[in-house]
Amino acid sequence: MQNNTLEQRIQTLEDKVALKALVDTFANLADQKDLATQSLLFAEDAVVDTYFEGQLFASLRGRKEIQETFTGFMANFETAYHINGQHTAEIDGDRATAVHYCLVVLVNTVDGKKMRNTNGVYYNDEYVRQDGRWLISKRTSHFTWRDTMEMAAG
């Protein structure tokens, strides 16, 4: 990046900010359970592969399947909180990749008890710029650990 022009360096910074905003918007929409709007953050032909503790759990193809599956999954939870951490992106023209870390907290009721599921997740993302807008073209989700506990009444 040191040999790039000022304009190229500014474009890289703008792209990195836009990509971080994309993943933050994804998280906010998940927490709001607005999966229809969230699905529009994916390219039409996007791919999402999800692993739990190293085992492939789901492989989704296309915006429609992603939305339907995410909607069904989130229906199991009363509350969701995505807490985004580091996001390291590499830009290559209209394509980019990133590693993105997140804590995902999901609350549901099981046998009359409020349960909190805290998940450590990292995403290997691929992005594409289409019509001047960054979209997720491929997301590989790695749910690496989970802690489930009953919540105190109150």
Side-chain angles (χ1 to χ4, degrees):
M1 187 156 115
Q2 293 174 340
N3 293 328
N4 291 342
T5 67
L6 178 61
E7 184 176 284
Q8 290 169 323
R9 293 193 318 258
I10 290 170
Q11 183 62 56
T12 297
L13 291 171
E14 287 178 349
D15 288 340
K16 287 186 176 194
V17 168
L19 291 169
K20 179 67 167 108
L22 174 64
V23 299
D24 287 346
T25 300
F26 173 93
N28 290 346
L29 292 169
D31 294 347
Q32 296 163 7
K33 294 189 179 185
D34 186 353
L35 294 307
T37 302
Q38 184 192 60
S39 72
L40 299 175
L41 302 177
F42 289 92
E44 189 65 45
D45 61 349
V47 173
V48 175
D49 292 327
T50 302
Y51 291 83
F52 282 97
E53 297 177 356
Q55 299 296 315
L56 181 63
F57 173 76
S59 187
L60 310 173
R61 302 286 184 264
R63 189 182 281 162
K64 183 176 188 268
E65 184 176 23
I66 292 167
Q67 178 186 346
E68 289 171 355
T69 303
F70 284 12
T71 299
F73 178 75
M74 290 303 291
N76 294 307
F77 302 98
E78 300 153 26
T79 305
Y81 279 89
H82 288 70
I83 305 162
N84 288 331
Q86 61 269 41
H87 180 264
T88 54
E90 296 295 324
I91 315 289
D92 184 12
D94 287 337
R95 298 209 165 268
T97 59
V99 176
H100 162 224
Y101 282 77
C102 186
L103 277 180
V104 179
V105 180
L106 304 168
V107 177
N108 63 345
T109 301
V110 178
D111 298 327
K113 298 176 184 176
K114 286 262 193 217
M115 302 299 292
R116 180 179 63 224
N117 305 285
T118 305
N119 300 269
V121 186
Y122 73 91
Y123 303 98
N124 292 110
D125 283 345
E126 296 177 20
Y127 310 102
V128 62
R129 185 183 353 235
Q130 293 179 344
D131 300 320
R133 184 173 165 240
W134 286 105
L135 299 170
I136 302 166
S137 58
K138 182 173 185 187
R139 171 165 277 187
T140 304
S141 308
H142 301 273
F143 286 72
T144 58
W145 60 266
R146 176 184 225 177
D147 181 37
T148 302
M149 64 184 316
E150 184 178 352
M151 296 175 65

